[in-house]
Amino acid sequence: MMPTQPARVRFAPSPTGRLHIGGARTALYDFLYARKTGGQFILRIEDTDRKRYDPEAEQEFYETLRWLGLDWDEGPDIGGPFGPYRQSERMEIYQEYILRLIDAGSAYYCFCSAERLQQVRELQQKRKEPPHYDGHCRTIPPDEAKQRVAAGEPSVVRFKVPRPGRTTAVDLLRGEIAVENSSIDDYILLKSTGMPVYHFAAILDDHLMGITHVLRGSEWLPTFPLHVLIYEAFGWEQPVWVHLSVLLNPSGKGKLSKRHANAEKSGSRAVFALDLREMGYLPEAVLNWIGLMGWSYDDHQEFFPMDEFISKFSLEKLNPSPAAVNFSKLDHFNGLHIRALSTDELTNRLVPFFEQAGLPAEREMISEITPLVQERIRTLDEAVEMARFFFKEEIPVDREDLIGKNLSTDESAHALEQAAAVIESLNSLEQAPFEQALRDLADDLDLKAGQLFGMLRMAVTGQRVSPPLIESMTIVGREKVLDRIQKATTILRQSG
RNA sequence: GCCCCCAUCGUCUAGGGGACCAGGACGUAGGCCUUUCAAGCCUAAAACGGGGGUUCGAAUCCCCCUGGGGGCACCA
């Protein structure tokens, strides 16, 4: 398939909070399209809202994006030919362009106080009208307005929506969206502080930074025509607009948002991308998961390593309808990606989790454990639970748990003693002969292999569920195995 | 209230007039395998929201209704 022209695509989060999976998904699509077309993936920080500004957010954006492997080509931290990439550092640019708009008659100063605006809104609400600016300052002669501004009167700048009129905006996924201009408000472009508002800053920066494709959330659909009007006022060519579907809560009720963050997390689910890391999810699995909410390739492939994601991604296959997130599918993808890792690489990913758990985990030890758990874990932290017994000196076990299935206490103790004898007699705990010896023992004792293995599992690991027994015992080592079996029989022989 | 968007199994989706008694995936149920748990394999239940058109023919095109979502700030 012939790729299109190199695209310049931007991810432009606002540092008002942590990056959630919806944002991560947008970043993924941005990244994929830029890489697919051989273009650039640009990171821009939209920090024009100083009231909601969170100083830690920007750093977390970096950390999240880096963890996910979505590397950007231009951004606040690495610069680039179209900087600065932080909107708060682009004030002069906004000043210059707002003047152009005013001079062209496409924007005007507004001196209405917050109180008056509030009154207007209340009145409109009483009359059941949609709240909007009433155009009070729209007709002030430009010269007079400039004088008042020069005299120091507080003001904002509003966009002068052409009236009457009708505006058609084109979204790649939805086609033409036409609205009456009467339904578009004279939005504020520049606040009284001189700070631009999203509607102005984003549009300006997208153009100035040469953005060719704008991928953003569908919450921008209502103001989409306004944005088109601003492009037209400047006489600029528009980018390709793509409004992404929103992510809904697992219930499908309401959009997944920061408001639900705590509730979601308490259910051991996270809406913040970085939390997924601590929960034992692989970045490639997270990407695979979020990528498939709102995008699909065909009717059978769902597993996408990054290289295939890039080669097979296309904007046209994006789905405009909202999608409810499904966390169990994340588990599924995580399992798939864990199994796709080389054991060496899995070991790398596992090490931090063992360290985190405070276990004396040496890489060499973990690399022995890795193949035993690779097939059976869905999240990395599960490996720790499953393998905990490898690191413990003492294995606390209840007496009842040690009794074999359908066996008496006495029979159980006897079987364990016999097993210990067999293990002691072996030259080495080499896999195949070791297993055979135990199976032979089970036969001799007239037990099913499962009965014997079950008791040994409990005695040696202290767990009902564990990695394969033979391999586990080999790793634990003969001495410790015998010691644990010995302790188990002692418990069984006690106060029978 | 007004404006905008969306609509296939519980969920994510394939489908772009006949190839669909609608395919895949997660989950669920059952089975096989099996030293536990998984993994793997097999099977099953499960959907085109409703009503009108257009057409020889509609999940696919149009309209209405309904439902869901989003937005209506000197927030993004």
Side-chain angles (χ1 to χ4, degrees):
Chain A
M1 197 188 287
M2 193 64 201
T4 37
Q5 292 299 301
R8 287 181 58 79
V9 196
R10 114 265 126 138
F11 177 55
S14 180
T16 53
R18 311 180 59 198
L19 191 62
H20 56 98
I21 56 180
R25 187 189 60 160
T26 304
L28 168 65
Y29 292 152
D30 286 330
F31 175 86
L32 291 177
Y33 195 63
R35 289 290 170 269
K36 170 159 188 120
T37 62
Q40 291 80 40
F41 174 45
I42 296 138
L43 179 60
R44 184 174 72 217
I45 302 297
E46 310 218 323
D47 57 348
T48 56
D49 184 354
R50 42 169 275 271
K51 287 198 197 88
R52 295 199 304 156
Y53 180 73
D54 174 357
E56 284 168 30
E58 189 177 319
Q59 287 309 315
E60 178 155 327
F61 291 163
Y62 296 151
E63 198 179 345
T64 306
L65 259 20
R66 270 197 280 264
W67 174 60
L68 291 172
L70 304 178
D71 304 317
W72 52 102
D73 304 302
E74 299 169 27
D77 58 330
I78 54 175
F82 296 88
Y85 293 90
R86 211 176 268 117
Q87 290 188 326
S88 59
E89 296 166 12
R90 299 172 64 81
M91 297 294 284
E92 316 80 56
I93 298 171
Y94 304 125
Q95 290 296 336
E96 178 195 336
Y97 281 88
I98 200 72
L99 253 26
R100 282 205 210 176
L101 230 40
I102 292 170
D103 289 343
S106 296
Y108 61 93
Y109 290 106
C110 171
F111 304 94
C112 294
S113 66
E115 294 74 48
R116 194 188 101 77
L117 260 24
Q118 182 62 30
Q119 283 169 6
V120 170
R121 226 165 299 166
E122 277 167 19
L123 194 69
Q124 287 164 340
Q125 234 149 42
K126 239 176 245 168
R127 290 198 231 139
K128 307 227 162 155
E129 286 172 19
H132 65 282
Y133 182 60
D134 65 354
H136 185 72
C137 296
R138 202 176 148 110
T139 53
I140 297 174
D143 288 343
E144 183 191 324
K146 279 197 171 166
Q147 277 172 20
R148 288 170 68 176
V149 171
E153 190 172 341
S155 67
V156 299
V157 178
R158 285 179 184 277
F159 187 64
K160 197 169 190 174
V161 175
R163 301 186 201 288
R166 192 174 167 74
T167 300
T168 301
V170 181
D171 174 83
L172 183 73
L173 309 178
R174 291 158 248 256
E176 294 188 352
I177 297 168
V179 296
E180 289 299 330
N181 287 5
S182 58
S183 72
I184 308 174
D185 209 352
D186 276 2
Y187 281 86
I188 287 173
L189 261 27
L190 209 68
K191 308 178 198 177
S192 56
T193 57
M195 258 310 172
V197 127
Y198 173 88
H199 306 301
F200 187 58
I203 267 58
L204 203 62
D205 290 345
D206 284 343
H207 175 259
L208 263 20
M209 293 181 178
I211 301 303
T212 59
H213 299 256
V214 172
L215 277 62
R216 41 142 55 162
S218 64
E219 64 265 27
W220 295 111
L221 239 22
T223 45
F224 182 20
L226 193 237
H227 304 324
V228 168
L229 247 18
I230 295 174
Y231 265 95
E232 288 176 354
F234 277 116
W236 292 336
E237 192 190 336
Q238 291 178 53
V240 172
W241 300 97
V242 186
H243 292 88
L244 273 12
S245 63
V246 282
L247 256 28
L248 270 26
N249 281 311
S251 63
K253 299 278 178 200
K255 80 165 170 178
L256 189 72
S257 75
K258 298 166 189 175
R259 283 200 306 279
H260 303 100
N262 291 333
E264 289 303 328
K265 205 181 169 184
S266 64
S268 84
R269 307 171 152 182
V271 294
F272 296 119
L274 211 50
D275 286 342
L276 262 17
R277 178 175 63 182
E278 277 77 64
M279 290 164 74
Y281 291 102
L282 260 30
E284 44 272 76
V286 172
L287 254 18
N288 201 150
W289 175 56
I290 59 181
L292 255 39
M293 293 181 205
W295 179 83
S296 62
Y297 177 62
D298 59 14
D299 64 349
H300 70 278
Q301 184 176 0
E302 292 210 325
F303 182 77
F304 286 93
M306 186 50 91
D307 55 342
E308 279 195 65
F309 236 149
I310 292 171
S311 66
K312 289 176 171 168
F313 183 73
S314 72
L315 259 20
E316 287 73 18
K317 299 282 280 182
L318 251 11
N319 193 146
S321 52
V325 299
N326 181 346
F327 284 94
S328 63
K329 198 141 186 175
L330 170 59
D331 287 339
H332 171 250
F333 278 125
N334 210 52
L336 250 33
H337 279 93
I338 281 175
R339 272 166 256 128
L341 253 28
S342 65
T343 51
D344 198 48
E345 181 55 27
L346 215 211
T347 302
N348 292 341
R349 316 273 187 123
L350 250 21
V351 167
F353 282 85
F354 281 94
E355 285 172 349
Q356 181 87 40
L359 296 173
E362 272 160 41
R363 209 203 122 85
E364 201 186 331
M365 175 69 165
I366 296 172
S367 70
E368 285 189 77
I369 297 170
T370 302
L372 304 192
V373 299
Q374 183 154 24
E375 295 280 295
R376 32 184 58 79
I377 56 173
R378 312 198 101 194
T379 56
L380 298 175
D381 57 324
E382 282 174 9
V384 176
E385 287 320 304
M386 201 169 278
R388 202 166 218 118
F389 68 92
F390 283 119
F391 303 93
K392 287 195 207 158
E393 281 310 314
E394 294 294 316
I395 301 292
V397 275
D398 286 341
R399 195 157 175 276
E400 282 99 89
D401 292 336
L402 285 167
I403 299 170
K405 201 174 178 191
N406 299 325
L407 294 181
S408 69
T409 310
D410 218 48
E411 290 167 327
S412 300
H414 179 67
L416 248 22
E417 280 158 358
Q418 292 300 303
V422 165
I423 292 169
E424 212 154 1
S425 73
L426 254 25
N427 290 326
S428 79
L429 295 192
E430 194 199 327
Q431 203 76 222
F434 184 11
E435 175 170 353
Q436 194 51 55
L438 286 180
R439 285 186 185 282
D440 290 344
L441 173 64
D443 277 347
D444 293 347
L445 261 26
D446 205 21
L447 294 176
K448 291 182 122 176
Q451 288 175 295
L452 214 215
F453 283 40
M455 284 184 284
L456 283 171
R457 166 170 290 107
M458 203 61 214
V460 176
T461 71
Q463 300 172 189
R464 273 239 142 68
V465 173
S466 84
L469 220 216
I470 308 297
E471 291 89 325
S472 294
M473 291 199 289
T474 303
I475 294 174
V476 169
R478 190 197 310 248
E479 202 179 321
K480 270 195 193 173
V481 167
L482 289 174
D483 179 57
R484 289 178 187 181
I485 294 174
Q486 154 74 16
K487 286 205 167 87
T489 51
T490 304
I491 291 173
L492 282 172
R493 294 289 189 205
Q494 269 171 7
S495 61

